[in-house]
Amino acid sequence: MNTISTRRGPAHKIGLGLVGGLSALALTACAGSTDTGAGDTSSAEASTVTLVTHDSFNVSEDVLAAFEKESGLTVKQVAPGDGGALVNQLILTKDAPLGDVVFGIDNSFATRAIDEGVLEPYTPAGLADTAAQYAVGDGELTPVDLGDVCVNVDHAWFTAAGIPEPVTLDDLTEPEYKDLLVVTNPATSSPGLSFLLATVGAYGEDGWEGYWSKLKDNGVKVADGWSDAYYVDFSGSEGKGPRPLVLSYSTSPAFTVTEDGTETTTGALLDTCFRQVEYTGVLAGAKNPEGAKKLVDFLVSDAFQADIADNMYMYPADADTELPEGWAEFAPLSPSPFEVAPADITAHRDEWIKAWTSTVIG
């Protein structure tokens, strides 16, 4: 059984009942394939649908089992990495797709995936109006969840050090916060790209590179992916790393609540956020396109939407879904996240990533 940790908060590991890693490719089936020389497709193969996702997809075993029983499908998983790595792999393998369905492309990479032709249009029936407002393209991507990417703070560390916690992006460049912040690389991490976009939204075309120069001078550390940043470098996670400031989500503090439920040991800086939306879609060239559509339907269903908050620490795209107790207090969305127009992301994403790499990595 494959067990995968989340990206949003402390270890909250639940078995997926899915086959992880690229070995799942061997189990991916052709549903009704007519390829010459392929041979007859067995019923077991025809009932397999492969989900390509980031390395922190999570779903309750009973919710997944109910879908598999009702649909007659067996869900297999391929997880090539963080959200940024996911899109890169989909593009590199589009002539021989890794699976049938993708989940985890976010709004910072969405147009890249669409423009590269890795997706087939499909709009599931019954998509909630609150989800439909986030749709992009011509039906290639369906919104599933959303959350705010924000800097998180370890309250206990700052209390012990006698240093006031930062509040704004500008604060993070001040000398008292030198060598305290770890972020993720926007070239390899979707949260990292979201945070880069937050700085573009905050400082504009003429100011964001200068801001990152200040962060670099102030000792910012860059990790390839969220898991390393949160579980290895962050002092407020189970790894008890050396840095009390980490790029994460506004929902992460809901999962560092004390046993008595009265407070949380970490917090999100809501003046540093960019809103991330995650999507699902049918992959072009899917071997089981009908099974793929059923899996997309499942990801926007009431059962899966109700499972998102506890397992992936994101807000369900269907705003009518009941949220866990305590989220209003410990996992609020930012009242005013920084924004960048989708057309500007499309036009400048690669340029911004290259400029960021030159400025921060050298």
Side-chain angles (χ1 to χ4, degrees), residues 275-361:
R275 185 148 299 162
Q276 182 185 57
V277 182
E278 291 188 310
Y279 298 89
T280 185
V282 176
L283 290 174
K287 294 180 179 179
N288 188 352
E290 294 308 311
K293 293 174 182 178
K294 290 181 181 180
L295 184 53
V296 169
D297 290 346
F298 167 63
L299 293 176
V300 300
S301 69
D302 291 346
F304 186 83
Q305 290 287 297
D307 202 54
I308 287 172
D310 275 332
N311 289 301
M312 292 196 292
Y313 312 144
M314 296 286 271
Y315 278 79
D318 183 349
D320 292 330
T321 305
E322 184 176 356
L323 295 172
E325 183 179 357
W327 268 46
E329 181 178 1
F330 298 123
L333 292 169
S334 171
S336 54
F338 293 107
E339 297 180 351
V340 178
D344 289 338
I345 297 175
T346 300
H348 301 292
R349 177 179 48 243
D350 293 344
E351 167 195 333
W352 289 338
I353 291 174
K354 289 178 182 178
W356 179 92
T357 302
S358 176
T359 299
V360 181
I361 305 299

Side-chain angles (χ1 to χ4, degrees), residues 30-55:
C30 295
S33 174
T34 57
D35 290 348
T36 302
D40 293 335
T41 303
S42 71
S43 58
E45 289 176 326
S47 67
T48 298
V49 60
T50 300
L51 174 67
V52 187
T53 185
H54 48 55
D55 57 8

Side-chain angles (χ1 to χ4, degrees), residues 148-286:
D148 285 343
V149 174
C150 316
V151 173
N152 276 215
V153 58
D154 176 1
H155 293 316
W157 189 98
F158 281 96
T159 298
I163 299 173
E165 295 179 1
V167 176
T168 68
L169 290 173
D170 284 342
D171 290 345
L172 300 174
T173 67
E174 295 297 324
E176 58 263 44
Y177 305 113
K178 186 175 179 63
D179 298 330
L180 301 187
L181 173 65
V182 56
V183 300
T184 51
N185 190 325
T188 57
S189 164
S190 57
L193 181 52
S194 291
F195 188 59
L196 169 57
L197 294 174
T199 63
V200 172
Y203 299 103
E205 275 283 349
D206 297 329
W208 73 266
E209 289 181 67
Y211 174 76
W212 278 98
S213 292
K214 292 178 181 179
L215 281 185
K216 180 181 180 181
D217 291 343
N218 213 35
V220 67
K221 181 177 180 179
V222 178
D224 284 338
W226 179 91
S227 294
D228 283 343
Y230 199 95
Y231 290 115
V232 177
D233 294 303
F234 183 44
S235 62
S237 73
E238 60 186 22
K240 300 299 180 187
R243 295 188 176 235
L245 297 169
V246 65
L247 183 64
S248 195
Y249 288 79
S250 72
T251 53
S252 298
F255 298 91
T256 58
V257 175
T258 56
E259 289 187 6
D260 62 10
T262 60
E263 58 184 349
T264 179
T265 61
T266 66
L269 306 184
L270 297 182
D271 292 330
T272 67
C273 305
F274 183 87
R275 185 148 299 162
Q276 182 185 57
V277 182
E278 291 188 310
Y279 298 89
T280 185
V282 176
L283 290 174

Side-chain angles (χ1 to χ4, degrees), residues 16-106:
L16 295 177
L18 307 177
V19 176
L22 295 177
S23 61
L25 289 174
L27 301 174
T28 306
C30 295
S33 174
T34 57
D35 290 348
T36 302
D40 293 335
T41 303
S42 71
S43 58
E45 289 176 326
S47 67
T48 298
V49 60
T50 300
L51 174 67
V52 187
T53 185
H54 48 55
D55 57 8
S56 49
F57 175 81
N58 210 347
V59 58
S60 297
E61 289 182 349
D62 58 340
V63 173
L64 179 63
F67 165 70
E68 290 183 323
K69 181 177 180 180
E70 179 180 351
S71 65
L73 296 167
T74 298
V75 179
K76 305 298 180 184
Q77 181 190 1
V78 175
D82 204 340
L86 170 64
V87 174
N88 291 336
Q89 286 301 308
L90 291 178
I91 293 170
L92 289 172
T93 61
K94 65 181 180 180
D95 293 330
L98 296 175
D100 305 298
V101 176
V102 61
F103 168 76
I105 296 174
D106 80 342

